[in-house]
Amino acid sequence: MTGFPGRVVSRRRRDTASRATGWWRLLVAVAMALGTAVVLPRPADAATIDTTAYYQVVSRSSGKALAVQDGSTADQAQIVQYTTGAATSQQWQFVDSGGGYYRLRARHSGKVVDVAARSTADGAKVVQYTDNNGANQQFKPVDTDSGYLKLVNRNSGKVLDVYGRSTAEGAVISQYTDNNGANQQWRLVRVDAAPAHNPALPGYNADPQVRYLAGQYWIYPTSDGYADWGSTKFTAYSSPDLVNWTDHGVVLDLANVSWCHARAWAPTIAYRDGTYWLYFSACQQIGVARSTSPSGPFTDALGRPLVSTGQYGEQEIDPDVFVDDDGTAYLYFGSGNAEVARLSASMTAFATAPARITPASFREASNVFKRNGTYYLMYSENDTRSEDYRVDYATSASPLGPFTKAAGSPVLSKDTGAGILGTGHSSVVKVPGRDEWYIAYHRFRIPGGDGTHREVCIDTMTFASDGSINRIRPTLTGIAPVTP
């Protein structure tokens, strides 16, 4: 709900604004006379909004900031005003929707400001809601004066408004016919940027496999930046918190693999009985190497491929190993089709013949994990050279399938407004002892990346009450350090 029909700005308010403007002019005049510069923070105007930044949206009438009530992350949480502070629930990113309109995305939840039920009525409730780029989620910043803006809803033509011109903590925000009230005017105050943690790894890397091993988080990527994906070495990185990474250098060099010296792609790793097992793609075949340490060095365990080129009728690449609660290990692989086989106790042979489990729209990059008795198969759709490379997922009651594509797919895709393209080839990791999950994936390098100039990112992954994966928002900022 919002202010009252037919209201006008009081003479007193106009006089107050006039006096404020007068004091400002006097200050500038004095400064000029003294030959000194006046340096005060300049609020953003409509022409200078930075879509990579976060802003507090501060009411002209109350001095309080647009916020999500109680810091909620739920759909339909009320938008209110609170005293300005450091809470991320009052920090907003302006996501470009085109035509001068933006979605206001909450930093803490990833949801956007939304006029409830697409209402066009005065007094309609304003909430946060999952971003669907609806016209009722789009607002045009329109300059007024002195650095203040009105935020005009694309669906209704009405503006964001503090109910009843209230200055109270927690007063609700709604939409209302534009009457140029001070409670309809907002100042954008840029928030000092927190350290950006995306990309998570330095340089060009892709196809990240993230694991928790030996008391730390580890990432095993494809080294990128080579024409025709021509890397010949595998590297590893470790971290205590998923943010601060140590480069362990080369852990496996294909120069030391007798059956292939080219195209080192997409490794995966598992631990069993004191040994770390690295499964890797090379020459579009799959090999297995072993080490007594997650930092290597790894040595080829077979002297030949575990899976040879074309052996099962698809590109034999992108291995993923999953160890179930009972200790049984499974290997997933394939591009074009998905295969799964149970591994023997030796970890160097199949105990069962590979079986095809290809879900709808599958391209490559299988990654399997288990949560609350459900097996999740995450995979990539389209081509890694495409900006539409993205992550889908399917579920099953068994690690051997069948897997059914989830209704919520794709669950991770590009954000053109933020310049994030080609989000794919993912893996996920759970924080030990907590139902807290993170996803590692690659995207095109920013700026100017493509399908061979990619970088690894990490973002938060959450679940709905029915076990489905909530839409994952790729970010420029990444995550905060994960504490034990």
Side-chain angles (χ1 to χ4, degrees):
M1 297 179 67
T2 186
F4 306 106
R7 66 192 166 173
V8 296
V9 181
S10 70
R11 172 68 178 271
R12 183 175 181 180
R13 287 185 183 276
R14 289 198 300 269
D15 290 346
T16 300
S18 177
R19 286 197 298 273
T21 302
W23 278 111
W24 165 250
R25 288 173 178 165
L26 178 61
L27 178 60
V28 172
V30 171
M32 291 177 66
L34 294 174
T36 58
V38 177
V39 181
L40 293 177
R42 170 68 178 168
D45 57 36
T48 61
I49 290 173
D50 182 350
T51 56
T52 68
Y54 286 92
Y55 294 91
Q56 286 182 322
V57 182
V58 180
S59 169
R60 186 170 193 169
S61 64
S62 69
K64 293 182 167 63
L66 202 70
V68 180
Q69 191 169 45
D70 299 324
S72 173
T73 59
D75 281 344
Q76 303 288 2
Q78 175 74 54
I79 304 299
V80 297
Q81 68 175 8
Y82 281 145
T83 299
T84 57
T88 54
S89 56
Q90 56 176 246
Q91 297 177 18
W92 304 92
Q93 183 181 28
F94 282 68
V95 181
D96 193 352
S97 292
Y101 288 89
Y102 298 84
R103 295 164 344 259
L104 278 67
R105 178 181 284 163
R107 188 170 194 166
H108 76 298
S109 68
K111 294 185 164 74
V112 299
V113 175
D114 174 294
V115 179
R118 300 183 177 85
S119 175
T120 60
D122 279 345
K125 184 178 181 181
V126 174
V127 299
Q128 75 170 0
Y129 202 80
T130 300
D131 186 355
N132 56 38
N133 201 26
N136 63 317
Q137 299 180 337
Q138 299 178 29
F139 294 85
K140 176 178 280 189
V142 177
D143 290 322
T144 59
D145 65 345
S146 304
Y148 288 90
L149 305 167
K150 291 181 282 193
L151 293 166
V152 183
N153 186 258
R154 190 168 199 164
N155 183 58
S156 67
K158 293 181 166 65
V159 298
L160 281 188
D161 173 293
V162 183
Y163 175 82
R165 300 187 295 276
S166 175
T167 60
E169 193 84 348
V172 299
I173 308 301
S174 61
Q175 71 172 6
Y176 203 82
T177 299
D178 182 3
N179 57 37
N180 205 34
N183 62 318
Q184 298 180 340
Q185 297 180 33
W186 307 89
R187 179 166 52 98
L188 304 188
V189 180
R190 184 164 178 154
V191 177
D192 289 340
H197 298 141
N198 275 339
L201 303 181
Y204 297 129
N205 292 283
D207 310 330
Q209 179 70 214
V210 60
R211 294 282 199 227
Y212 187 80
L213 301 166
Q216 292 198 95
Y217 299 96
W218 291 79
I219 288 180
Y220 299 81
T222 297
S223 299
D224 208 18
Y226 300 92
D228 198 30
W229 306 288
S231 172
T232 60
K233 299 174 182 179
F234 293 102
T235 58
Y237 297 79
S238 68
S239 171
D241 56 13
L242 286 172
V243 167
N244 299 288
W245 293 93
T246 298
D247 183 353
H248 293 274
V250 176
V251 297
L252 176 63
D253 191 331
L254 292 186
N256 300 319
V257 175
S258 62
W259 49 271
C260 175
H261 305 308
R263 295 191 172 183
W265 299 347
T268 184
I269 194 166
Y271 174 76
R272 171 172 278 174
D273 299 331
T275 300
Y276 295 90
W277 299 94
L278 188 77
Y279 299 83
F280 60 94
S281 304
C283 298
Q284 294 179 277
Q285 303 179 89
I286 295 173
V288 55
R290 61 184 162 199
S291 175
T292 57
S293 168
S295 62
F298 287 84
T299 57
D300 183 19
L302 289 175
R304 57 176 174 78
L306 175 63
V307 181
S308 300
T309 303
Q311 186 173 354
Y312 297 102
E314 61 273 319
Q315 286 195 71
E316 316 297 3
I317 62 172
D318 293 356
D320 178 68
V321 64
F322 165 71
V323 180
D324 209 345
D325 300 335
D326 64 0
T328 304
Y330 300 86
L331 190 73
Y332 302 81
F333 61 91
S335 177
N337 283 299
E339 305 278 348
V340 61
R342 183 164 59 85
L343 286 165
S344 68
S346 72
M347 301 292 280
T348 59
F350 290 139
T352 60
R356 186 158 293 176
I357 53 165
T358 311
S361 74
F362 177 90
R363 175 60 181 265
E364 60 195 11
S366 298
N367 179 239
V368 172
F369 66 94
K370 185 179 183 181
R371 178 180 182 269
N372 294 341
T374 297
Y375 297 86
Y376 295 77
L377 168 62
M378 302 190 80
Y379 58 93
S380 293
E381 179 181 353
N382 300 320
D383 190 288
T384 193
R385 292 166 290 193
S386 167
E387 67 175 52
D388 290 314
Y389 197 54
R390 57 196 189 183
V391 178
D392 295 332
Y393 78 100
T395 60
S396 177
S398 166
L400 298 172
F403 284 89
T404 302
K405 183 177 179 178
S409 284
V411 74
L412 172 65
S413 59
K414 67 182 180 182
D415 184 340
T416 53
I420 300 173
L421 306 175
T423 51
H425 203 120
S426 65
S427 62
V428 303
V429 67
K430 178 182 178 293
V431 177
R434 303 203 298 263
D435 188 28
E436 184 176 334
W437 298 77
Y438 296 91
I439 183 168
Y441 59 94
H442 71 237
R443 71 181 185 205
F444 287 3
R445 180 186 183 273
I446 299 176
D450 55 27
T452 55
H453 296 83
R454 299 162 293 179
E455 51 195 9
V456 167
C457 298
I458 299 175
D459 279 305
T460 301
M461 186 174 79
T462 62
F463 297 83
S465 58
D466 64 358
S468 60
I469 301 174
N470 292 319
R471 179 85 175 177
I472 299 162
R473 181 170 69 93
T475 72
L476 298 168
T477 52
I479 61 172
V482 176
T483 56

